Amino acid sequence: MRKIDIFDTTLRDGEQSAGINLNTAEKIEIAKQLERLGVTIIEAGFPASSPGDFDAVNRIAKTVKNSIVTGLARCVQKDIDATWEAIKVAEQPHIHVFLATSPIHMEYKLKKSPEQVVEQAVEAVKYAKKLFPLVQWSAEDGFRSDRDFLVKIIGEVIAAGATTINVPDTVGYASPQEYGALFKYLRENVRGADQVKFSAHCHDDLGMATANSIAAVENGADQVECTINGIGERAGNASLEEIGVALHIRKDIYPFETGLNLKEIKRTSQLVSRLTGVVIQPNKAIVGRNAFAHESGIHQDGVLKNPETYEIISPALIGEDEVPLVLGKHSGRAAFRDRAVKMGYDLSDEKLNKAFAEFKKLADRKKEITEDDLVTLLTEQQVLIEDVPLYELKSVQVQYGTENIPTATAVVATPAGDIATAASTGAGSVEAIFNTLEQLVGGTVNILDYRVTSVGKGRDALGEAVINLRYNGYTTTGRDAAQDVLEASAKAYLNAINRQLIQASIRAQQPTV
Ligand SMILES: [Zn+2]
């Protein structure tokens, strides 16, 4: 069977999309999970774009061993140098350089003639090849480029040393027939095409990203670029889980092997959704909450008699089977640690103790501790950065009645080491809390988005609040989970503020590149 490499760009193209900002600890957590999922290549970021991105790519290159780690670079020396500095520690250093090739991009964005574009691409690839054994070159807006120009520039870039050629549909305009035909044409006409790997990179503006990616594979692409939950610029990128599962379920017509460990899909999807704050639409293929739910009576009856009547994918395939509950109120620390290790967490003793204390508190208030609850608790600890002084919610109290003006009182430990108290009213309980916290953190806070969801099922499920806010000119997303949604909301608010303090300290420590 032909091997198709999965190139995951959740941390680059995905992270680039509106409203998402992950800190380094969170990016490392996602990268480790992508490695567990078995992706071939992880695009960890754009090292030359900011010190924070440089740091994250560098740390991921040091941490991940079983997937190749790459970073994005423009076709300029300083980008290639920064990427080398970030990635040289990796086992197989890989760089992804790109340059636009469509008439509209060359004329208006680059203000360069086609000849100048060829020259710049060739120079950059030659320079990159001196440092990196693996050099991927992308023709940005490749699908809207002139075919014969593509044949020419790709031939020259291969001669300069590129090992992978990516032909993206940057604006999500292609149909499957056209995109497949383009790969066939390039494979047949580019000089040296048999010496390199071709790669597809699709966006979902017309809802065809998955279909286009598979059409490319059928026509000679040996790599597809995609993101978890399909997050990414505008309508998003091709979704990894759709491609992985489609190739598996329809292996009768797609005889390809991806090397993905499909059982890790559910967990990867949930982790990315939780850390980015991007909710998964309920009817999303493969990973949506309702992807395996049968509502109509006729369907339910059929599935009970034989699941295959209406189910083409078993939930167990993507790791959605219920894990037997072994932890409860009386579980000890050793059992808790054992379970955390089995779930793939690697926490320091101090973080494990904190997670265990949270677990005990929760077990007192909630009958059943689910796998989802544990993932929430353990991930919170895992991504916590300890050495920056932060705000901490000590208590919050809300006076609410249908006939009264809601009033909140909050006590907060400040980064300066003080304990501060404030009270305020609001049109509702949540607004009263937010108004109170705004007084405590000082400055103006604009709430851009706010959502509360439940973690798992049942009336005693944990409530998770996600809040996107603007403070001191920066936008961050905070989140937290608690038994009560008001407490979760207050903690999520402070989490968003704290993330700015953490980012500021990273900015201060990092040398500029
Ligand atoms: Zn893209």
Side-chain angles (χ1 to χ4, degrees):
M1 272 211 276
R2 233 174 88 206
K3 167 76 173 25
I4 304 303
D5 290 343
I6 299 293
F7 177 115
D8 180 278
T9 183
T10 304
L11 295 173
R12 203 278 299 165
D13 221 342
E15 216 259 343
Q16 204 168 300
S17 53
I20 300 182
N21 42 41
L22 297 167
N23 65 36
T24 301
E26 291 164 335
K27 287 181 183 173
I28 292 173
E29 231 22 64
I30 291 175
K32 277 162 47 184
Q33 180 58 29
L34 290 170
E35 186 183 23
R36 242 175 254 138
L37 175 63
V39 308
T40 317
I41 300 176
I42 296 170
E43 185 164 46
F46 188 171
S49 69
S50 73
D53 242 36
F54 179 92
D55 180 50
V57 174
N58 181 242
R59 294 216 217 163
I60 290 168
K62 284 179 190 155
T63 309
V64 168
K65 294 290 167 244
N66 297 318
S67 305
I68 293 170
V69 176
T70 193
L72 185 72
R74 287 166 298 183
C75 278
V76 294
Q77 271 195 21
K78 82 168 182 53
D79 279 28
I80 298 169
D81 288 337
T83 309
W84 174 246
E85 284 308 312
I87 298 231
K88 65 182 178 192
V89 292
E91 307 220 327
Q92 282 181 282
H94 181 295
I95 188 170
H96 177 195
V97 287
F98 73 99
L99 191 60
T101 52
S102 64
I104 182 165
H105 277 235
M106 290 193 289
E107 186 181 343
Y108 294 98
K109 195 182 79 178
L110 301 178
K111 300 191 197 317
K112 283 200 156 101
S113 70
E115 291 70 34
Q116 288 172 308
V117 168
V118 174
E119 198 188 307
Q120 189 183 348
V122 166
E123 252 174 50
V125 168
K126 273 191 185 151
Y127 184 72
K129 195 56 193 279
K130 283 190 209 152
L131 303 167
F132 292 85
L134 300 171
V135 177
Q136 166 168 329
W137 181 77
S138 274
E140 190 192 0
D141 204 17
F143 178 72
R144 292 193 303 171
S145 302
D146 177 74
R147 281 185 170 201
D148 294 324
F149 179 62
L150 277 182
V151 167
K152 177 181 154 59
I153 191 167
I154 293 172
E156 302 233 7
V157 164
I158 292 173
T163 50
T164 301
I165 299 296
N166 180 39
V167 188
D169 179 19
T170 304
V171 294
Y173 184 70
S175 77
Q177 286 83 352
E178 292 171 311
Y179 197 59
L182 177 61
F183 278 79
K184 187 164 189 289
Y185 186 79
L186 294 175
R187 271 255 173 243
E188 285 169 357
N189 291 286
V190 167
R191 199 158 22 94
D194 53 340
Q195 297 156 27
V196 295
K197 178 168 79 174
F198 274 83
S199 170
H201 176 115
C202 298
H203 280 267
D204 210 27
D205 298 68
L206 296 175
M208 294 198 273
T210 298
N212 288 347
S213 304
I214 292 178
V217 167
E218 289 184 288
N219 286 280
D222 290 319
Q223 173 176 300
V224 282
E225 306 195 357
C226 41
T227 62
I228 300 299
N229 301 333
I231 61 171
E233 288 268 30
R234 308 182 309 278
N237 287 61
S239 111
L240 182 147
E241 60 279 5
E242 289 176 15
I243 293 171
V245 172
L247 292 182
H248 173 82
I249 293 292
R250 297 306 314 273
K251 50 182 176 283
D252 54 327
I253 53 167
Y254 304 134
F256 315 118
E257 175 54 55
T258 59
L260 288 175
N261 177 9
L262 299 179
K263 279 213 171 301
E264 291 291 333
I265 282 187
K266 187 73 186 181
R267 180 161 164 202
T268 315
S269 163
Q270 304 255 295
L271 180 73
V272 168
S273 170
R274 181 165 294 133
L275 295 185
T276 56
V278 178
V279 202
I280 304 164
Q281 82 192 62
N283 58 324
K284 169 84 175 62
I286 320 295
V287 292
R289 187 167 14 99
N290 296 342
F292 301 107
H294 301 278
E295 264 316 302
S296 100
I298 292 173
H299 286 209
Q300 285 175 346
D301 181 53
V303 169
L304 283 175
K305 287 173 178 153
N306 179 350
E308 283 177 27
T309 46
Y310 289 100
E311 222 171 64
I312 61 158
I313 311 164
S314 89
L317 178 75
I318 60 155
E320 202 176 283
D321 35 9
E322 289 294 321
V323 180
L325 189 82
V326 289
L327 292 183
K329 206 173 160 175
H330 304 293
S331 301
R333 222 185 75 97
F336 182 76
R337 171 196 281 276
D338 193 49
R339 185 64 175 272
V341 170
K342 279 209 183 86
M343 288 166 69
Y345 289 91
D346 171 25
L347 296 172
S348 66
D349 280 351
E350 197 187 340
K351 287 189 173 191
L352 195 89
N353 285 342
K354 278 192 188 162
F356 184 62
E358 290 295 315
F359 162 74
K360 279 290 186 189
K361 260 195 253 166
L362 184 64
D364 271 343
R365 296 158 81 171
K366 191 168 184 278
K367 260 208 315 272
E368 287 189 337
I369 307 289
T370 63
E371 183 96 355
D372 283 346
D373 294 334
L374 290 180
V375 169
T376 306
L377 280 181
L378 292 164
T379 308
E380 288 301 334
Q381 290 303 324
Q382 188 108 322
V383 299
L384 207 70
I385 295 177
E386 280 157 342
D387 45 6
V388 182
L390 301 171
Y391 287 101
E392 191 194 337
L393 184 74
K394 289 292 177 192
S395 69
V396 61
Q397 188 188 331
V398 180
Q399 212 116 23
Y400 174 79
T402 47
E403 305 297 322
N404 299 329
I405 295 170
T407 311
T409 312
V411 182
V412 161
T414 72
D418 305 328
I419 297 289
T421 307
S424 189
T425 59
S429 303
V430 172
E431 196 198 343
I433 291 174
F434 289 173
N435 289 345
T436 308
L437 294 175
E438 188 175 18
Q439 285 184 36
L440 289 169
V441 300
T444 307
V445 179
N446 294 314
I447 308 293
L448 305 174
D449 196 12
Y450 164 70
R451 280 188 312 270
V452 174
T453 46
S454 71
V455 178
K457 304 175 182 102
R459 70 172 72 183
D460 63 353
L462 282 183
E464 183 170 60
V466 177
I467 183 163
N468 185 243
L469 56 75
R470 194 160 175 80
Y471 172 62
N472 282 345
Y474 290 99
T475 302
T476 37
T477 301
R479 58 168 194 286
D480 211 315
Q483 190 91 57
D484 189 281
V485 293
L486 294 179
E487 183 186 338
S489 302
K491 286 178 164 174
Y493 186 108
L494 290 180
N495 180 248
I497 303 287
N498 284 337
R499 291 157 72 85
Q500 301 212 354
L501 300 179
I502 292 166
Q503 294 291 1
S505 95
I506 291 173
R507 273 195 299 273
Q509 283 164 24
Q510 211 45 55
T512 43
V513 283

